[in-house]
Amino acid sequence: MIRKYGAIALWLCVGAAGFLIVPWYALPGSVLSLDWLRDFATGDSAPAIVQAWRYGRTWLLPIGALLAAGCTLLAPRFDRSLLAHALLALGGIGFLYTLAQGFLIGSQAASLQGLATGGQQGMGLGATLALTSFAMLFAVGLAGRGYFGGDAFIAGSVVAIVASTAIFTLFPVLRIMVSAFDDANGLISIAAFLDRLLQQKVWGLGCLTGAARCGVAWNTLILALLTAGGTTTLGLAFALLVTRTRFRFKKLLRALAILPIITPPFVIGLGLILLFGRSGLVNHGLEWAFGIEPSRWLYGLPGLLLAQWLSFTPIAFLVLIGVVEAVSPSMEEAAQTLRASRWRTFIDVSLPLMRPGLANAFLIGFIESISDFGNPIVLGGNFSVLATEVFFSVVGAQLDQGRAAALGILLLAFALAAFFAQRVVLGRRDYTALSGKGDSGLPAPLPEPARKLCYALAMPWIVLTVTLYAMTFLGSFVEQWGRNYAPTLNHYARAFGVEIGPQGGLIWVGSAWNSLWTTVKLSALAAPLTAALGLLTAYILTRQRFRGRTALEFGTMLSFAIPGTVIGVSYILAFNVPPIEMTGTALILIACNVFRNMPVGVRAGMASMAQIDASLDEASATLGAGRFTTLRRIVLPLLKPAVAAALVYSFVRAATTVSAIVFLVSAEYEWATTYIINRVTNGDYGVAIAYSTVLIVLMLVAIWLIHSAIGERRLGRRDGVVRMGMAELGPAA
Amino acid sequence: MKASSIELRNLSKRYGNVAAIHDISFTVAAGTLLTLLGPSGCGKTTTLRLIAGLEPPSSGTVLIGGVDVTQTPASERDVSMVFQSYALFPHMNVIENVGYGLSVAQIPKAQVHDKAHAALAAVGLTGFDARLPSELSGGQQQRVAVARALVLEPSVLLFDEPLSNLDARLRRQMREDIRDLQRRLSLTVVYVTHDQAEAMAVSDRIIVMNQATIAQQGSPRELYEHPHDIFVAAFMGDANRVRGTLRRVDERMGELEIGPLSLEIEHRGLPQGTVDVAIRPEAVEIGAPNGKGLPGTVRKATYVGGMMEYTIATELGELFVVNLAVDRPLAPGSVVSLTLAAHGVVPIATS
Ligand SMILES: Nc1ncnc2c1ncn2[C@@H]1O[C@H](COP(=O)(O)OP(=O)(O)O)[C@@H](O)[C@H]1O
Ligand SMILES: [Mg+2]
């Protein structure tokens, strides 16, 4: 009980600080610069109390009144249940009122005549603290009512997760819906939506008759289906090679499979241009040897398909390798003792057992393909897909946010359709129960024709991937690919030049430094947040039983399927006006990365949590440890591999992402990937590939750093290796 | 140590539509060992978890030391538990595991160390401090789990089938160790097992559970000799179940007729008429066929070392019989005549 009062007092203090001391509204500069201390209590940087007092923003007063009312709850005369009810009411009303006044009273003065004369800016630090305070008081109230096992820490975590997901995932997605239905006059209109969606440019079938180009929707779908089919087939072939044959290059295959995951998504596209592009090696060779005109086949569906196959096969491979290994050899041995031939065994037993894995790999390939922005922008040519079309609707000459929103929704619909289709295909059959524990026996070797087919698929892929990366690397050291192969360090100098200044200090003259620092800094900030939020969610989902748990789990699974492009568009639509005004700031870049990658942390965490027996938590509880202590001293040390994986992935994905971030960068906060894409679209390949190379090396260093910082988990000699669901995660898009 | 009593009042726990336990009430006197005995799935673990506070009951009250703790979370109850899987923290070595509860309570380091050592010594595990749980045998892990629970000097200690992962020989030794420890420190212990022999060996009192409710409670002897129903009789030592008739009832004794046999037994308040009869396997005496007694034919004979186990077909049905005469085993097909020793025959009201 004492502890609970401590929590109430703490959160009331936080709320009071938000109301009385720090600037209520967002400042043009960073609140961390502390400039606001200088003109404290005047103008924009005044706290809420002053805003209400001196600037007529009286609608802020109820917030202060609620906080003051909260202080009376600290008097110990309330009984337990009354206190809990009061906290629920106070927290709930405070939270909703604070949000509502923000939404209802925008920057236009006239939004609520008579009441809101001054209008107001977006919420700042003060408003954030007040909201947090109300939400946490509500959580303490929930715990007091006996929810979440009466544990305030768990209640607070659940409230924080739900509230932040609602603000940073649900709200933007709803906002994009509104924009898509918004007609020119600010009214909701289905006609406007249909008009945007049912255009010839979207659904046209002109390409069938050869008269015109097909619509972007068809392009996207065809590309995604072909890509997913290809990556699943290739991935299965590789997985079989590695597990069921004596393939000589197993190690190489596994190493190569990691590469596309840590490289920015367009690097493969760039490499393909160097190889097959108009002034690429192959075209040059053909022209020189046979006088064949350079062809442009690469820029369009064929090139894109090739690029996506190369980029996304590794994820399918990593998903399927786990699946193939999980097929119990004794099952296959049983089939053989029943007189089935190797081929029949493979077709009748092994393949059906892999069905859920194949469906999963197909789904991931499909979603990666429709989310991919980097390759289409580099290679697409006239073949446009939704991801790029949405982008040009917002930043191009069209500047039509409604159209961008409508196309975004279409993209989202494709992703969700795939997501639900996968669930339907898998049905309710439980395959995992079929692979019993402690199975031994030898995996059946692959039938001869299948083995040959796998070889035939793998070898070209390996050769091409090695060539592409080698060329990207080499290409960064020559003057101009295709024209002048003289060795040079010029590109690196232009991008990453450092000079000694007249006063002796270093001057970062390279043009890439700005974007590189931003990327590294903000990714490094986002990664621990992502990992913490993701793992906490995983812990709560696996260890707590409460109403709405399945909904929460489903929500996180679902947000995994939202394409980055949709997130990007929805963020600019949702967060460029008060009450949450973040466009052009570092904050929006961090938030975007955190909430986009959080599902990855959740998955990694849930996979690992499943391997930690719940009786360990319970033992800790009977020994007197609260939930938080248990989390810190028992669960977290055992989760080390998952922590490392979550950190690595959230960092790498943040640093190499394109599709969402491309909407959110500004002159001040530029991202490495968007900088590179700008160089590519300007034809400046040298700097682009030099920068890509640096980025790849940087990612390897970061992975190494994270792993050595987290350290090993020592459980003694009998410890089984915990295999991280790396495959589940996939690269950035 | 300050052992506390435990009292459960009308405790129920439902999972969806399944009642894991239903309306359970009992008390455990301070400083005694009570065993919950019953077949798998009857609700023993659930009862234990409710006492520990790991789950909230659907209804009912838990009192420890006379205080209502129903709403108190596990971490704030003065209760320790030894889990069936031991639940040793795999990333901590032996001494860290044992000292964990103390360090959570923010006791000074040196003191934690001393107390943990003392607890390890109490279970006979001196010198294993730096080992990880994965580097211990099953029996050693079990001792660490006990030491970890003991070190907090809890007023109540709970054991959930602590010996089920050990081999038969170790089981016997560990159960004696646990009983010694409990007596020495006069701990209040609730002990869960499905093994009747184990329950008889360690308990002051036993509660036999069946299908989420209490079938019977009492001292080991009471349960064995005076089972209330045929379930308890069968569970407490493989009793055969047959039909019989009480012919004549005196103040205390009665005449029980079972097929052709008739014997004087305590009638335990039963009225005249048809009754169920539980016959212990060791109460059946095998003799040569002689016209008297219950005729039977040996169906199966198994040598289990130290005694013979027979299945014998009779007019009452097949009887399971153990016999110490290993030197003169009977072959299947032998015709025998059976008599009953009164101490192993218990009449029970027909259900
Ligand atoms: N978490 C749970 N969810 C649903 N049913 C449960 C759960 N735990 C136990 N049960 C059910 O409650 C009954 C009693 O279980 P338990 O107490 O574990 O039995 P015992 O320990 O005696 O073997 C069983 O039928 C079991 O299936
Ligand atoms: Mg059990």
Side-chain angles (χ1 to χ4, degrees):
Chain A
M1 229 32 226
I2 301 292
R3 254 191 253 160
K4 205 158 275 170
Y5 277 114
I8 297 172
L10 172 75
W11 289 114
L12 280 173
C13 286
V14 168
F19 189 76
L20 299 174
I21 301 173
V22 300
W24 181 261
Y25 295 116
L27 303 177
S30 167
V31 77
L32 294 180
S33 71
L34 295 185
D35 281 346
W36 55 274
L37 283 178
R38 210 182 35 213
D39 20 67
F40 175 71
T42 51
D44 288 343
S45 56
I49 180 85
V50 179
Q51 297 283 4
W53 209 265
R54 298 229 326 238
Y55 299 97
R57 300 196 166 103
T58 43
W59 60 87
L60 296 177
L61 282 177
I63 298 169
L66 280 169
L67 287 168
C71 295
T72 63
L73 293 179
L74 289 174
R77 65 197 139 89
F78 287 101
D79 82 352
R80 220 181 154 110
S81 132
L82 192 64
L83 179 67
H85 276 114
L87 283 171
L88 282 180
L90 177 78
I93 294 174
F95 190 82
L96 292 179
Y97 179 79
T98 310
L99 271 190
Q101 61 84 21
F103 276 98
L104 292 178
I105 305 171
S107 50
Q108 264 81 48
S111 30
L112 277 185
Q113 266 100 353
L115 187 64
T117 40
Q120 58 182 346
Q121 299 303 308
M123 294 183 175
L125 183 60
T128 312
L129 292 182
L131 280 172
T132 313
S133 157
F134 285 128
M136 290 302 118
L137 290 173
F138 184 76
V140 176
L142 279 178
R145 295 276 296 127
Y147 291 96
F148 309 107
D151 193 293
F153 169 69
I154 298 292
S157 304
V158 172
V159 168
I161 289 165
V162 170
S164 61
T165 315
I167 292 176
F168 289 103
T169 305
L170 200 61
F171 167 58
V173 171
L174 291 179
R175 188 67 188 73
I176 198 177
M177 306 259 176
V178 172
S179 288
F181 286 90
D182 201 36
D183 71 3
N185 308 317
L187 297 172
I188 299 292
S189 138
I190 294 186
F193 176 66
L194 292 181
D195 186 44
R196 285 170 181 140
L197 210 55
L198 299 179
Q199 291 170 342
Q200 192 67 14
K201 268 189 83 176
V202 180
W203 291 104
L205 281 170
C207 57
L208 293 185
T209 56
R213 276 186 252 137
C214 269
V216 276
W218 294 119
N219 285 353
T220 309
L221 267 184
I222 290 165
L223 177 65
L225 289 173
L226 290 175
T227 296
T231 53
T232 308
T233 314
L234 282 167
L236 179 63
F238 295 0
L240 289 172
L241 269 188
V242 169
T243 54
R244 300 291 170 100
T245 67
R246 306 225 195 129
F247 188 53
R248 237 179 310 159
F249 306 111
K250 281 183 192 179
K251 285 232 172 81
L252 179 68
L253 198 56
R254 279 186 190 256
L256 280 182
I258 307 297
L259 262 186
I261 292 179
I262 63 162
T263 48
F266 44 76
V267 168
I268 296 277
L270 275 182
L272 283 175
I273 289 179
L274 300 184
L275 188 59
F276 296 116
R278 245 165 33 100
S279 46
L281 275 188
V282 171
N283 273 327
H284 269 292
L286 290 176
E287 191 175 18
W288 176 79
F290 309 106
I292 299 174
E293 274 287 295
S295 115
R296 290 188 54 95
W297 66 269
L298 186 67
Y299 306 93
L301 181 61
L304 255 181
L305 198 53
L306 189 57
Q308 293 197 337
W309 277 344
L310 289 167
S311 309
F312 304 141
T313 294
I315 317 155
F317 166 51
L318 292 174
V319 170
L320 288 168
I321 199 165
V323 173
V324 172
E325 276 174 349
V327 172
S328 132
S330 62
M331 213 82 74
E332 293 171 332
E333 284 176 345
Q336 287 180 340
T337 61
L338 297 170
R339 310 273 182 283
S341 69
R342 265 199 210 176
W343 184 247
R344 285 298 302 267
T345 305
F346 183 70
I347 297 291
D348 292 344
V349 178
S350 319
L351 222 44
L353 286 176
M354 297 172 196
R355 206 174 72 152
L358 291 171
N360 197 21
F362 190 90
L363 171 74
I364 292 176
F366 185 90
I367 288 180
E368 290 290 351
S369 170
I370 63 174
S371 310
D372 188 16
F373 177 85
N375 285 312
I377 196 133
V378 170
L379 280 179
N382 289 329
F383 185 86
S384 53
V385 293
L386 280 171
T388 47
E389 195 67 18
V390 169
F391 176 69
F392 289 125
S393 305
V394 175
V395 303
Q398 315 176 17
L399 201 64
D400 184 349
Q401 290 193 337
R403 178 156 191 273
L407 294 180
I409 287 178
L410 188 58
L411 194 54
L412 184 61
F414 284 172
L416 295 187
F419 179 80
F420 286 111
Q422 184 221 22
R423 298 208 140 199
V424 170
V425 166
L426 291 186
R428 297 184 56 78
R429 251 193 285 183
D430 187 4
Y431 289 81
T432 50
L434 298 179
S435 62
K437 273 185 198 156
D439 268 318
S440 56
L442 293 174
L446 224 45
E448 196 53 25
R451 194 183 63 85
K452 287 206 174 117
L453 188 65
C454 290
Y455 267 93
L457 289 172
M459 288 320 284
W461 189 90
I462 291 180
V463 171
L464 203 53
T465 303
V466 171
T467 317
L468 287 181
Y469 277 94
M471 248 170 6
T472 312
F473 184 69
L474 290 179
S476 66
F477 292 101
V478 303
E479 276 297 342
Q480 191 179 10
W481 194 266
R483 301 243 171 79
N484 178 359
Y485 290 99
T488 175
L489 285 175
N490 254 344
H491 307 309
Y492 287 94
R494 274 205 290 147
F496 300 105
V498 177
E499 282 173 8
I500 310 249
Q503 270 87 44
L506 290 181
I507 302 179
W508 309 87
V509 292
S511 59
W513 285 119
N514 179 25
S515 60
L516 188 66
W517 283 134
T518 307
T519 308
V520 170
K521 228 167 32 187
L522 297 189
S523 300
L525 276 173
L529 285 175
T530 315
L533 203 56
L535 295 177
L536 185 63
T537 309
Y539 173 74
I540 283 167
L541 286 178
T542 46
R543 286 294 197 267
Q544 303 293 323
R545 260 181 268 146
F546 54 93
R547 240 178 293 155
R549 195 198 70 90
T550 11
L552 187 60
E553 180 175 1
F554 190 69
T556 51
M557 299 272 291
L558 208 61
S559 63
F560 196 60
I562 304 178
T565 309
V566 176
I567 302 236
V569 175
S570 64
Y571 265 49
I572 46 170
L573 291 176
F575 299 134
N576 68 343
V577 288
I580 311 176
E581 199 174 4
M582 304 200 304
T583 38
T585 66
L587 227 47
I588 198 169
L589 296 173
I590 296 179
C592 171
N593 278 314
V594 168
F595 288 93
R596 193 156 135 57
N597 296 330
M598 185 187 111
V600 178
V602 177
R603 282 196 170 199
M606 285 180 72
S608 305
M609 287 296 301
Q611 297 178 328
I612 302 175
D613 201 81
S615 68
L616 294 183
D617 297 34
E618 294 175 346
S620 175
T622 60
L623 293 169
R627 287 270 169 40
F628 182 70
T629 310
T630 303
L631 194 60
R632 186 172 59 84
R633 292 192 50 183
I634 306 297
V635 177
L636 217 50
L638 291 173
L639 275 183
K640 266 186 184 180
V643 173
L647 279 176
V648 163
Y649 278 95
S650 37
F651 182 81
V652 170
R653 281 177 62 111
T656 59
T657 182
V658 185
S659 60
I661 223 83
V662 77
F663 293 92
L664 307 175
V665 291
S666 54
E668 190 183 352
Y669 296 105
E670 207 177 4
W671 214 253
T673 48
T674 54
Y675 178 88
I676 297 176
I677 286 188
N678 278 335
R679 305 269 44 87
V680 174
T681 42
N682 288 341
D684 189 357
Y685 290 102
V687 168
I689 50 184
Y691 202 163
S692 300
T693 312
V694 168
L695 217 48
I696 294 174
V697 173
L698 208 64
M699 291 306 107
L700 291 174
V701 172
I703 291 174
W704 177 78
L705 274 179
I706 291 172
H707 276 290
S708 40
I710 302 274
E712 294 288 311
R713 178 183 67 164
R714 45 159 210 148
L715 300 182
R717 58 196 151 94
R718 290 185 206 158
D719 177 29
V721 182
V722 177
R723 184 176 293 122
M724 274 317 311
M726 178 185 239
E728 310 257 302
L729 315 176
Chain B
M1 223 169 274
K2 20 59 182 170
S4 301
S5 63
I6 305 170
E7 185 178 350
L8 307 191
R9 288 189 194 147
N10 308 102
L11 211 58
S12 297
K13 177 71 187 180
R14 309 183 63 82
Y15 295 106
N17 287 327
V18 190
I21 59 171
H22 179 69
D23 199 20
I24 296 252
S25 304
F26 63 78
T27 17
V28 188
T32 63
L33 192 153
L34 172 104
T35 296
L36 297 175
L37 175 66
S40 172
C42 69
K44 308 179 296 289
T45 299
T46 306
T47 311
L48 217 56
R49 291 170 61 84
L50 293 181
I51 297 174
L54 293 171
E55 280 173 69
S58 306
S59 64
T61 318
V62 180
L63 294 95
I64 293 178
V67 181
D68 182 349
V69 294
T70 316
Q71 300 296 332
T72 313
S75 53
E76 286 160 34
R77 292 189 192 183
D78 194 8
V79 173
S80 287
M81 179 155 168
V82 176
F83 289 78
Q84 186 168 7
S85 61
Y86 311 143
L88 298 181
F89 305 130
H91 59 300
M92 296 183 185
N93 63 26
V94 166
I95 197 84
E96 287 166 344
N97 260 289
V98 175
Y100 178 77
L102 296 168
S103 73
V104 166
Q106 307 199 320
I107 287 169
K109 270 224 174 84
Q111 220 174 323
V112 170
H113 202 252
D114 292 348
K115 287 195 169 192
H117 266 291
L120 280 174
V123 296
L125 265 188
T126 314
F128 285 82
D129 294 11
R131 298 262 194 110
L132 286 169
S134 60
E135 296 163 346
L136 299 175
S137 72
Q140 290 165 339
Q141 290 181 18
Q142 207 269 342
R143 285 160 192 268
V144 175
V146 173
R148 187 177 70 176
L150 271 182
V151 79
L152 287 176
E153 305 180 3
S155 44
V156 168
L157 191 54
L158 309 174
F159 287 90
D160 189 4
E161 311 213 13
L163 310 182
S164 61
N165 292 332
L166 305 180
D167 59 64
R169 182 199 273 281
L170 202 52
R171 266 216 290 270
R172 178 177 297 270
Q173 199 209 320
M174 287 304 296
R175 82 186 186 204
E176 277 163 20
D177 288 357
I178 288 176
R179 181 59 162 163
D180 278 352
L181 211 57
Q182 183 266 332
R183 285 227 172 96
R184 193 146 42 86
L185 307 175
S186 53
L187 301 166
T188 308
V189 170
V190 181
Y191 189 102
V192 161
T193 180
H194 61 261
D195 181 337
Q196 173 260 141
E198 193 177 314
M200 305 279 282
V202 298
S203 313
D204 292 311
R205 284 176 71 76
I206 296 178
I207 290 182
V208 179
M209 292 184 65
N210 184 23
Q211 295 185 347
T213 55
I214 294 181
Q216 188 180 349
Q217 49 181 312
S219 70
R221 199 175 190 103
E222 276 164 17
L223 289 175
Y224 193 84
E225 294 179 355
H226 304 294
H228 281 172
D229 61 25
I230 205 74
F231 171 82
V232 176
F235 204 79
M236 300 294 294
D238 292 331
N240 296 289
R241 173 186 181 169
V242 298
R243 278 294 165 100
T245 314
L246 264 182
R247 281 284 170 236
R248 172 180 57 76
V249 279
D250 292 348
E251 202 171 311
R252 206 162 69 86
M253 306 299 280
E255 184 187 332
L256 178 65
E257 208 174 273
I258 308 171
L261 303 172
S262 164
L263 61 166
E264 281 282 303
I265 47 136
E266 284 183 40
H267 57 68
R268 303 171 59 219
L270 293 176
Q272 289 190 4
T274 310
V275 290
D276 276 332
V277 182
I279 303 173
R280 304 263 169 231
E282 64 276 12
V284 182
E285 284 154 11
I286 304 177
N290 56 5
K292 290 192 288 179
L294 175 66
T297 311
V298 176
R299 285 270 178 264
K300 279 186 235 160
T302 316
Y303 173 69
V304 291
M307 57 185 177
M308 295 295 299
E309 291 181 357
Y310 295 109
T311 305
I312 301 177
T314 69
E315 64 185 77
L316 302 173
E318 289 198 337
L319 295 183
F320 176 69
V321 176
V322 298
N323 191 286
L324 290 174
V326 281
D327 299 339
R328 292 163 280 118
L330 297 165
S334 312
V335 178
V336 292
S337 175
L338 305 177
T339 50
L340 298 175
H343 66 83
V345 177
V346 185
I348 295 168
T350 46
S351 47

